[in-house]
Amino acid sequence: MCYGGEADLHTHVTGCKKNPGHKGFIPLKDFNTNCLPSYYHDDEIVSETIKTLAALTVQVKTKFTSLERPEFYPGTQVPYPCYNDRGSHVIRIGTGRVCRVDKRIEKRGTCRCATCQVSATPSKVWREINVLTATHVVFDDNEARQTRCVLGFDDNKSPVVSLDGWEMFGGGDTERDWCRLSFVTCNLELVDEFDKICRRFIYQCRAVSNKYRRFDDVDKLTVIVSHPHGCPKQVSVGQWTHRHEIDDTWTRYWYTTCTCPGSSRATVYRLGCGGWMSHHHPHSGSNSVGNYSGEYMY
């Protein structure tokens, strides 16, 4: 996570201790086939899968820290993020990914977006867009209701759309470090657009997995699209270095792919790995071994 708003990435070049120089980040508009290893110079991967992932990548801005945050991670003495900030309204920024929309589900009452809340004629037709993010970024419903999701923001000139948080589905998973949030909107065209993008991304992930699965343990290619330091989308390319299998289903990865404060919960996309589920692991943090993901299946 990063704190305090959307400072320009370049102002952090000398001050960032996590990734000095930020040489591993590629602005989305500059990303092309030459940014990948030669074997992967394939339009299906670059133009479709990775750029579709970028279209689903969002900035998550939270302006409240819940009083319910634990002091430590479950079963450990490792400090849990933001415990000392409980009750504060300091803005922190992470990354998320749109995972689904409820295009066909009718909602009762009036829209709960910020515009409709102050309108004399609020919309009676609205929908929800679901976003995956890290639990250490948004911990519970108290934080979810004071969280804003920013779609777009590919560069400093791109038009953006902001959505207001409504609730967290089933509570966050503190141990595995991921959660699903609901954001409300009465912009039905936006809902239709993201419904199509979500469906296209799943199809593309399956196609890439079928083509490259046999190379998973050889090339170990890992791509992340995130909002480092709360700035426009950046793409980073690296390799996963090892995989920790928690049981027959759940896994955690370590990787060389660049991240910075603000990259929390960016999708760790492993090309060809784990079948079409290869896009669910969230970036969670880093330690002496390297960057690591939260736990997810396969």
Side-chain angles (χ1 to χ4, degrees):
M1 298 177 291
C2 63
Y3 291 86
E6 298 166 354
D8 185 348
L9 175 64
H10 299 292
T11 65
H12 293 269
V13 170
T14 57
C16 178
K17 297 179 180 179
K18 172 70 170 61
N19 185 11
H22 301 101
K23 294 180 180 179
F25 287 124
I26 307 164
L28 180 59
K29 62 182 178 62
D30 296 332
F31 186 76
N32 56 57
T33 55
N34 294 325
C35 300
L36 294 170
S38 59
Y39 184 78
Y40 294 93
H41 287 185
D42 185 299
D43 285 342
E44 181 179 40
I45 293 177
V46 178
S47 299
E48 298 298 325
T49 313
I50 295 175
K51 291 190 177 181
T52 303
L53 170 61
L56 295 173
T57 299
V58 301
Q59 185 189 76
V60 176
K61 301 171 67 175
T62 306
K63 59 181 180 180
F64 177 69
T65 304
S66 174
L67 295 171
E68 303 302 319
R69 282 191 174 241
E71 186 173 2
F72 303 105
Y73 278 95
T76 75
Q77 291 298 305
V78 178
Y80 195 76
C82 305
Y83 173 77
N84 293 328
D85 296 328
R86 290 173 303 158
S88 73
H89 289 80
V90 176
I91 293 175
R92 61 182 178 277
I93 300 175
T95 299
R97 176 174 63 82
V98 175
C99 61
R100 69 181 298 272
V101 301
D102 64 353
K103 179 181 177 182
R104 297 174 179 83
I105 302 175
E106 292 291 337
K107 297 297 179 182
R108 297 181 179 180
T110 57
C111 180
R112 297 173 173 86
C113 73
T115 301
C116 286
Q117 288 292 298
V118 297
S119 172
T121 56
S123 176
K124 294 183 179 180
V125 181
W126 54 285
R127 298 289 186 270
E128 294 178 5
I129 292 180
N130 296 167
V131 170
L132 294 173
T133 191
T135 309
H136 77 264
V137 175
V138 183
F139 181 75
D140 59 13
D141 269 337
N142 295 318
E143 294 185 3
R145 294 189 188 103
Q146 298 194 55
T147 296
R148 178 159 285 186
C149 168
V150 181
L151 293 80
F153 201 24
D154 294 351
D155 56 50
N156 285 317
K157 296 181 180 179
S158 356
V160 300
V161 176
S162 296
L163 305 180
D164 296 298
W166 173 237
E167 64 181 356
M168 178 181 290
F169 285 92
D173 191 325
T174 308
E175 185 174 357
R176 295 188 170 111
D177 199 27
W178 61 272
C179 62
R180 182 158 64 103
L181 307 179
S182 171
F183 293 87
V184 297
T185 181
C186 48
N187 185 339
L188 302 189
E189 291 183 0
L190 182 72
V191 171
D192 286 341
E193 176 186 354
F194 274 90
D195 180 59
K196 293 175 183 176
I197 297 173
C198 286
R199 292 173 185 274
R200 184 165 72 246
F201 182 59
I202 292 174
Y203 169 80
Q204 291 164 352
C205 285
R206 285 173 171 159
V208 171
S209 173
N210 290 336
K211 185 172 183 178
Y212 291 102
R213 186 180 301 185
R214 67 185 183 278
F215 299 105
D216 168 37
D217 289 326
V218 178
D219 294 320
K220 303 182 178 180
L221 186 63
T222 306
V223 178
I224 292 176
V225 183
S226 69
H227 286 281
H229 298 290
C231 293
K233 293 173 189 174
Q234 307 281 320
V235 183
S236 49
V237 179
Q239 293 179 306
W240 62 269
T241 55
H242 65 282
R243 172 175 54 217
H244 175 57
E245 298 182 358
I246 291 83
D247 52 34
D248 292 337
T249 302
W250 295 91
T251 58
R252 183 189 298 272
Y253 285 82
W254 274 259
Y255 36 88
T256 62
T257 318
C258 291
T259 63
C260 261
S263 297
S264 288
R265 203 337 177 165
T267 292
V268 182
Y269 179 50
R270 303 163 341 276
L271 275 74
C273 180
W276 71 275
M277 300 289 288
S278 61
H279 59 278
H280 281 301
H281 282 73
H283 172 63
S284 188
S286 63
N287 55 23
S288 58
V289 178
N291 289 326
Y292 61 85
S293 72
E295 298 173 17
Y296 212 87
M297 294 182 285
Y298 308 110

